[in-house]
């Protein structure tokens, strides 16, 4: 059998005269090629490390400076103002062993190196000073001041790349009244007065002390928020991460490149391997705001070969170097699949062959194997204890190590999913499948699980602690474009390329799971299933209008949607609530997110005026401007919530109790919202190919009696909403909320139509009639 032949790397026979060693030439060749690939990768990583270390200069610039200094010796010009001679006179080397000319050359090289390093740090300081200019983000859309234009020119002259050394360190904002302002519309007079008292007492007692510690951390750490945010918000959570933390991203909305499951998975996995290789080599084009301002990309470093490892008190994120295998789940079985052969990636056609072999495998799951992954869906403490007790030795440890060290996890599902216009709830079912599946067919601890459906659709479930949605969205855009426009398929729907039938077959992971462990697995599954069954999901495509019309109204699409959500929330619940909108802080080093508190006093005033108030258009403008300003403040490091969160962590370290901070951190976000970015890479012209767009992604409900809303603005004429809540709450209904969003969007758009009609009438009054004598 071919697979048995390939599986045996070498044989040996013990004879009386010694050991007769027989080596397989094919294996030796593969080992050699793999070694060459590994050393090439190390060389690339070393080169990238050198380039990053001397940024924004280059190694060749050092040679130029040295040559310039050496040339000055021969023309008897001293640009160092005597420093080269001073270095020469103070060299520790004995004059008896070094000629005068050699000492002069060495002195010139040392001076040139020092000058080169000085210029590097000067350029870095200049770059950071330029990046500290944030006025551009507060300017009106389509309008740019002269100072911003000059700033952009200066910044572009430095050839800014997305290297972390060039980014600003997130500063600690000063404590202010912004928090009290944010809760004013949500509290009655008595509650607000109580909150004012708590804030005043906090400011007078311990705020200054806590702030000093936080400032000290900001001087020492590259980001004073991100490490604590990852640890305390994500890794220390002991509740299930399925639904509560993990999120999902959908496939292309209208297009399915092939209906062959193995072929689509083959192309997508190969595209992901290409993306990983570019990532490791630093070849991805840097992300920039305004096409110039760099965004931090350090989150991308843990995209592959990463797993969240459960612990009793806290989890850890384990990131490994390049891994050459993938673990595939299909109908209760786990398979180990090599991704390399002969020092190269498997081709799409080869991957298709491997995945088809798994799909054709009719073997049964081993005892306890079917629902094994439910351990990652349940509570963290039972999973951590079970991992220590049953998976720390023997075949269980070997198999678990294979999963946790894999590049990522692939689930080959057996039930079709995807958007079908004729099917009312197709997006709802698709979203729930991506978010939690059957509760045992995704490895929720992996950085991401790639999900493949039998109708050719795909999707991704993402563990949240290591990165935020835009990071995975960046990869997914690259994969979709590469899959459809570069790799492609044959007329029969197979991957292009020859089929290599000599590849070793995927191997089953082996398990020895005792009855006691199976009981824990079942308990985790039942706990996870209860959570999954409670998720009320509604996916909604809003196509009455989109970004194109909103921008013609001279307002921010995000502000427009956020105010529509406030109007929908009030109509749905009859009250206003604390609203969370995620904003990124990646203009700072190691930046992640900040909160925009969208339920402002201006938004409340506008919503109340929508029923019957002639000033509602003006109130909308005021509320939209307020929201935009808050969003910009959050992006530029002047948000409220991350600062207060870190002050709370410092208070816990110091062992002091703050009723104010405790109150702030315990407030429920009954409306949690997030915008999924679109067209980060611009690899596909969606005006030319309008069908090649993703529906974005979503997340589970944050509050037991609230809504989670993710939205994506697609092109000029489509906005998708992903709405989640819980069936167990009698006050919420995801479909009903979707209808309220639709009505709110249309009602707000009608304001602009009414206002535009008024302007037409006013302008018409000033237009002369054809006779040129009378006016309307």
């Amino acid at each position: 059998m071919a697979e048995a032949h390939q599986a045996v790397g070498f044989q040996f026979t013990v004879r009386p005269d010694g050991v007769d060693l027989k080596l397989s030439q094919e294996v030796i060749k593969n080992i050699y090629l793999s070694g060459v690939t590994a050393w090439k990768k190390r060389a690339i990583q070393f080169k990238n490390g050198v380039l990053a270390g001397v940024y924004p200069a280059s190694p060749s610039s050092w040679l130029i400076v040295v040559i310039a200094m050496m040339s000055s010796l021969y023309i008897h010009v001293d640009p160092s103002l005597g420093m080269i001679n001073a270095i020469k006179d103070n060299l520790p080397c004995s004059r008896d062993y070094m000629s005068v000319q050699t000492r002069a050359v060495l002195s010139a090289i040392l001076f040139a190196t020092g000058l080169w390093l000085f210029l590097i740090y000067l350029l870095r300081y200049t770059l950071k000073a330029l990046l500290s200019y944030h006025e551009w983000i507060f300017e009106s859309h389509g309008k740019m001041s002269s100072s911003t234009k000059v700033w952009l020119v200066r910044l572009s002259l430095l050839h800014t790349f997305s290297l972390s050394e060039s980014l600003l360190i997130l500063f600690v904002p000063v404590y202010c009244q912004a928090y009290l302002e944010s809760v004013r519309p949500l509290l009655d007079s008595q509650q607000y007065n109580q909150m004012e008292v708590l804030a005043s007492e906090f400011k007078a007692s311990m705020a200054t002390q806590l702030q000093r510690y936080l400032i000290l951390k900001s001087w020492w750490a590259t980001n004073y928020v991100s490490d604590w945010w990852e640890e305390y918000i994500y890794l220390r959570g002991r509740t299930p991460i399925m639904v509560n933390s993990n999120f999902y991203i959908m496939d292309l909305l209208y297009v399915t490149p092939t209906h062959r499951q193995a072929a689509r998975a083959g192309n997508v996995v190969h595209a992901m391997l290409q993306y990983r290789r570019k990532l490791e080599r630093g070849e991805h084009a840097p992300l920039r705001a305004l096409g110039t301002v760099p965004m931090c990309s350090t989150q991308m470093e843990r995209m592959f070969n990463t797993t969240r490892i459960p612990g009793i008190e806290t989890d850890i994120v384990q990131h490994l170097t390049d891994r050459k295998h993938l673990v595939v789940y299909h109908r209760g079985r786990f398979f180990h699949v090599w991704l390399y052969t002969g020092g190269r990636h498997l081709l799409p056609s080869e991957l298709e062959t491997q995945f088809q072999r798994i799909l054709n495998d009719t073997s049964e799951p081993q005892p306890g194997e079917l629902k094994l992954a439910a351990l990652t869906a349940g509570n963290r403490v039972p999973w951590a204890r079970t991992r220590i007790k049953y998976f720390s030795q023997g075949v269980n440890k070997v198999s678990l190590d294979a999963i946790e060290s894999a590049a990522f996890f692939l689930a080959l599902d057996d039930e079709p999913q995807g958007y079908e216009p004729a099917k009312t709830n197709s997006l709802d079912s698709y979203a729930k499948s991506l978010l939690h599946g059957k509760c045992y067919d995704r490895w929720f601890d992996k950085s991401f699980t790639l999900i493949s459906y039998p109708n050719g659709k795909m999707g991704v479930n993402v563990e949240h602690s290591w990165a935020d949605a835009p990071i995975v969205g960046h990869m997914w855009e690259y994969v979709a474009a590469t899959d459809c426009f570069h790799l492609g398929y044959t007329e029969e729907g197979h991957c292009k390329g020859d089929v290599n039938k000599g590849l070793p077959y995927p191997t089953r992971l082996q398990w020895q799971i005792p009855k006691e462990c199976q009981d824990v697995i079942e308990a985790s599954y039942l706990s996870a299933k209860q959570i999954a069954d409670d998720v009320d999901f509604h996916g909604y495509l809003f196509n009455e209008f989109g970004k194109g019309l909103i921008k013609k109204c001279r307002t921010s699409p995000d502000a427009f949607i956020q105010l529509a959500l406030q109007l929908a929330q009030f109509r749905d619940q009859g009250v206003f609530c604390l609203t969370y909108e995620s904003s990124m802080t990646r203009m700072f080093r190691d930046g992640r997110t900040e909160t925009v508190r969208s339920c402002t006093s201006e938004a409340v005033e506008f919503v109340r005026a929508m029923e019957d108030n002639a000033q509602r258009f003006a109130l909308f403008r005021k509320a939209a401007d307020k929201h935009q300003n808050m969003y910009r403040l959050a992006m530029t490091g002047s948000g409220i919530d991350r600062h207060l969160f870190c002050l709370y962590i410092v208070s816990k370290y110091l062992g002091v109790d703050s009723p104010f901070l405790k109150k702030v951190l315990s407030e429920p976000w009954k409306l949690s919202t997030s915008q999924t970015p679109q067209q980060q890479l611009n690899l596909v012209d969606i005006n030319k190919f309008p069908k090649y767009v993703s529906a974005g992604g979503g997340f589970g409900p944050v509050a037991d009696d609230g809504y989670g809303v993710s939205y994506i603005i697609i092109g000029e004429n489509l906005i998708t909403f992903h709405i989640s809540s819980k069936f167990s709450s009698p006050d919420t209904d995801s479909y009903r909320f979707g209808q309220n969003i639709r009505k709110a969007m249309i009602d707000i758009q009608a304001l602009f139509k009414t206002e535009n009609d008024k302007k037409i009438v006013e302008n018409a009054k000033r237009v002369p009639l054809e006779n040129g004598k009378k006016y309307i």
Side-chain angles (χ1 to χ4, degrees), residues 148-210:
T148 298
K149 292 178 181 178
V150 172
W151 167 76
L152 278 174
V153 171
R154 292 176 179 176
L155 192 59
S156 61
L157 290 176
L158 288 177
H159 302 288
T160 307
F161 296 95
S162 59
L163 295 173
S164 59
E165 289 80 1
S166 68
L167 296 175
L168 293 171
I169 293 175
L170 185 65
F171 60 90
V172 181
V174 295
Y175 183 77
C176 60
Q177 297 299 312
Y179 170 77
L180 290 175
E181 180 185 340
S182 72
V183 298
R184 185 66 186 92
L186 305 173
L187 305 176
D188 58 33
S189 297
Q190 183 179 357
Q191 292 172 329
Y192 182 74
N193 290 336
Q194 291 174 348
M195 185 57 74
E196 271 191 321
V197 171
L198 289 177
S200 298
E201 291 176 350
F202 170 71
K203 190 173 182 180
S205 58
M206 64 182 72
T208 302
Q209 180 190 16
L210 300 181

Side-chain angles (χ1 to χ4, degrees), residues 50-202:
V50 171
L51 292 176
V54 302
Y55 177 83
S58 63
S60 59
S61 64
W62 172 82
L63 185 61
I64 293 172
V65 176
V66 169
I67 292 174
M69 290 299 107
M70 296 293 293
S71 300
S72 69
L73 295 178
Y74 292 98
I75 61 176
H76 303 291
V77 175
D78 186 8
S80 70
L81 302 178
M83 293 184 66
I84 293 179
N85 288 330
I87 294 173
K88 181 175 66 175
D89 295 338
N90 290 280
L91 282 175
C93 303
S94 173
R95 297 174 183 271
D96 298 334
Y97 296 97
M98 187 179 295
S99 65
V100 174
Q101 185 176 5
T102 302
R103 291 167 63 86
V105 170
L106 181 58
S107 300
I109 293 175
L110 290 174
F111 174 78
T113 302
L115 177 62
W116 180 67
L117 292 173
F118 170 77
L119 292 174
I120 287 175
Y121 282 99
L122 179 62
L123 286 172
R124 285 183 181 177
Y125 176 81
T126 304
L127 182 55
K128 288 185 177 182
L130 286 172
L131 291 175
S132 66
Y133 176 83
H134 291 147
E135 295 303 318
W136 63 271
I137 205 170
F138 292 93
E139 294 178 351
S140 301
H141 182 74
K143 297 180 180 179
M144 186 179 294
S145 65
S146 300
S147 58
T148 298
K149 292 178 181 178
V150 172
W151 167 76
L152 278 174
V153 171
R154 292 176 179 176
L155 192 59
S156 61
L157 290 176
L158 288 177
H159 302 288
T160 307
F161 296 95
S162 59
L163 295 173
S164 59
E165 289 80 1
S166 68
L167 296 175
L168 293 171
I169 293 175
L170 185 65
F171 60 90
V172 181
V174 295
Y175 183 77
C176 60
Q177 297 299 312
Y179 170 77
L180 290 175
E181 180 185 340
S182 72
V183 298
R184 185 66 186 92
L186 305 173
L187 305 176
D188 58 33
S189 297
Q190 183 179 357
Q191 292 172 329
Y192 182 74
N193 290 336
Q194 291 174 348
M195 185 57 74
E196 271 191 321
V197 171
L198 289 177
S200 298
E201 291 176 350
F202 170 71

Side-chain angles (χ1 to χ4, degrees), residues 380-455:
R380 305 303 291 173
V381 174
W383 170 210
R385 289 174 176 163
T386 303
R387 186 177 184 275
I388 295 171
K389 187 174 182 179
Y390 299 107
F391 297 90
S392 58
Q393 59 184 355
V395 295
N396 287 352
K397 184 180 189 305
V398 173
S399 295
L400 182 62
D401 285 347
I403 294 174
E404 293 179 342
S405 64
F408 52 92
F409 192 83
L410 171 62
L412 296 175
D413 278 20
D414 51 9
E415 295 179 5
Q417 296 288 348
Y419 172 63
E420 299 178 34
K423 190 176 179 181
T424 306
N425 299 324
S426 60
L427 272 182
D428 307 0
S429 174
Y430 186 20
K432 284 177 66 68
S433 174
L434 292 174
L435 185 63
H436 54 69
K438 296 177 181 177
C439 303
Y440 58 78
D441 52 356
R442 287 91 174 88
W443 199 269
F444 293 101
D445 285 354
K446 288 300 290 182
S447 55
F448 66 89
T449 295
L450 178 64
I451 303 162
S452 170
Y453 297 104
N455 59 347

Side-chain angles (χ1 to χ4, degrees), residues 601-651:
S601 297
E602 290 82 357
V604 168
E605 190 176 3
F606 159 70
V607 170
R608 292 191 184 281
M610 275 299 290
E611 301 306 323
D612 184 20
N613 191 316
Q615 298 299 317
R616 52 191 176 179
F617 181 79
L619 292 174
F620 172 85
R621 288 289 193 196
K622 183 179 178 182
D625 290 343
K626 174 68 174 181
H627 179 270
Q628 273 299 93
N629 187 64
M630 291 180 60
Y631 197 94
R632 291 160 175 168
L633 287 172
M635 287 183 64
T636 53
S638 298
I640 301 170
D641 287 275
R642 299 300 179 270
H643 180 212
L644 293 175
F645 161 77
C646 288
L647 289 175
Y648 178 76
I649 298 300
V650 173
S651 73

Side-chain angles (χ1 to χ4, degrees), residues 426-618:
S426 60
L427 272 182
D428 307 0
S429 174
Y430 186 20
K432 284 177 66 68
S433 174
L434 292 174
L435 185 63
H436 54 69
K438 296 177 181 177
C439 303
Y440 58 78
D441 52 356
R442 287 91 174 88
W443 199 269
F444 293 101
D445 285 354
K446 288 300 290 182
S447 55
F448 66 89
T449 295
L450 178 64
I451 303 162
S452 170
Y453 297 104
N455 59 347
K457 282 296 183 182
M458 304 288 292
V460 185
N461 179 284
V462 186
E463 198 280 310
H464 207 334
S465 67
W466 65 275
D468 302 308
I471 301 301
V472 187
H474 184 276
M475 180 266 291
W476 196 237
E477 284 187 22
Y478 175 91
V479 168
T482 303
D483 172 29
C484 298
F485 293 95
H486 296 281
L487 299 177
Y489 300 88
T490 65
E491 292 182 359
E492 295 78 18
H494 293 286
C495 294
K496 294 179 179 179
D498 298 331
V499 178
N500 182 0
K501 295 183 178 180
L503 291 172
Y505 271 58
T507 56
R508 284 281 302 274
L509 299 185
Q510 299 301 308
W511 308 95
Q512 293 179 359
I513 304 175
K515 180 63 169 60
E516 296 81 1
C517 183
Q518 293 181 36
D519 292 340
V520 178
I521 293 172
E522 185 65 20
S524 294
Y525 164 68
L526 293 176
S527 173
K529 188 174 186 301
Q530 186 177 9
I531 295 173
D533 290 345
D534 197 24
V535 175
D536 176 15
F537 224 100
H538 178 55
Y540 173 58
L541 303 183
F542 181 86
N543 53 16
E544 278 81 356
F545 59 87
K547 178 178 67 175
L549 181 61
I550 296 174
K551 293 177 75 171
K552 287 180 180 178
C553 298
R554 296 184 180 181
T555 191
S556 159
D558 183 67
F560 187 102
I561 295 172
Q562 284 292 326
L563 288 172
L565 291 175
Q566 290 300 316
L567 180 57
Q569 161 71 23
F570 184 74
R571 288 173 173 174
D572 189 88
Q573 299 291 310
V575 294
F576 296 97
C577 69
L578 191 62
T579 304
Y580 182 110
E581 181 189 4
S582 179
S583 167
M584 68 91 183
T585 55
R586 288 171 58 206
M587 290 193 297
F588 298 93
R589 190 170 179 180
D590 293 341
R592 291 197 61 164
T593 61
E594 177 58 275
T595 304
V596 180
R597 294 176 167 239
S598 301
C599 186
T600 62
S601 297
E602 290 82 357
V604 168
E605 190 176 3
F606 159 70
V607 170
R608 292 191 184 281
M610 275 299 290
E611 301 306 323
D612 184 20
N613 191 316
Q615 298 299 317
R616 52 191 176 179
F617 181 79

